[in-house]
Amino acid sequence: MTKTVYVLNGPNLNLLGTREPQVYGSQTLADVEQLCTEACARHGFTLVFRQSNHEGALVDWIHEAGRLHAAGQLAGLVLNAAAYTHTSVALLDAVKGTGVPLVELHISNVHAREPFRHHSYISAVARAVVCGLGVAGYGLAIDAIAQW
């Protein structure tokens, strides 16, 4: 049975390539999706790749991934919650409630940025955190999931 990897992206990641390229680089979200498609193909995974600026949509998708997890069909979830990383108890509760195996991802090194970015609600439920490696971190996160 082919397992699925979910890659979920939070607010403003639709602006990749144009938003603060000195922080986030010049690659677009479409480039990230292609990178994830290639990484999943290397490991025989199916990819579900999504982005939303709305917290509730991310919660719903985590629940959806949780149903696959309960059925033994989820390899893992890569979550770049963006600004919601630092504010969302709802995302924390969704991950806790579903038990999905999760890699928390940040394109930039959040620990070298503003102090409010140093706290993550997601880290407490993540198996791993990838941070500061640019969009290449997505492929590395999927490679890590393949080792679980």
Side-chain angles (χ1 to χ4, degrees):
M1 162 184 9
T2 301
K3 291 200 173 188
T4 300
V5 170
Y6 270 61
V7 176
L8 302 180
N9 295 280
N12 299 309
L13 287 164
N14 56 304
L15 300 176
L16 276 180
T18 59
R19 175 186 176 220
E20 300 179 82
Q22 71 281 8
V23 174
Y24 300 105
S26 60
Q27 291 180 289
T28 66
L29 195 60
D31 295 331
V32 173
E33 184 173 8
Q34 181 60 40
L35 183 152
C36 291
T37 298
E38 292 167 5
C40 281
R42 281 195 308 273
H43 299 291
F45 295 142
T46 299
L47 174 66
V48 173
F49 187 92
R50 297 182 180 150
Q51 185 276 330
S52 181
N53 294 319
H54 305 282
E55 185 178 29
L58 294 166
V59 169
D60 288 343
W61 295 335
I62 292 168
H63 291 178
E64 185 179 288
R67 289 189 290 276
L68 283 184
H69 177 58
Q73 299 171 345
L74 182 76
L77 187 151
V78 178
L79 176 62
N80 183 344
Y84 291 140
T85 301
H86 320 292
T87 64
S88 182
V89 174
L91 291 178
L92 165 69
D93 286 347
V95 175
K96 284 173 67 175
T98 60
V100 295
L102 175 84
V103 176
E104 175 184 351
L105 186 131
H106 303 283
I107 294 169
S108 68
N109 179 356
V110 293
H111 303 290
R113 297 184 62 196
E114 305 93 337
F116 73 85
R117 295 186 195 275
H118 299 178
H119 178 267
S120 166
Y121 283 97
I122 308 303
S123 292
V125 291
R127 280 200 184 177
V129 178
V130 175
C131 143
L133 298 175
V135 299
Y138 284 87
L140 295 170
I142 293 168
D143 290 344
I145 288 170
Q147 301 303 311
W148 295 347

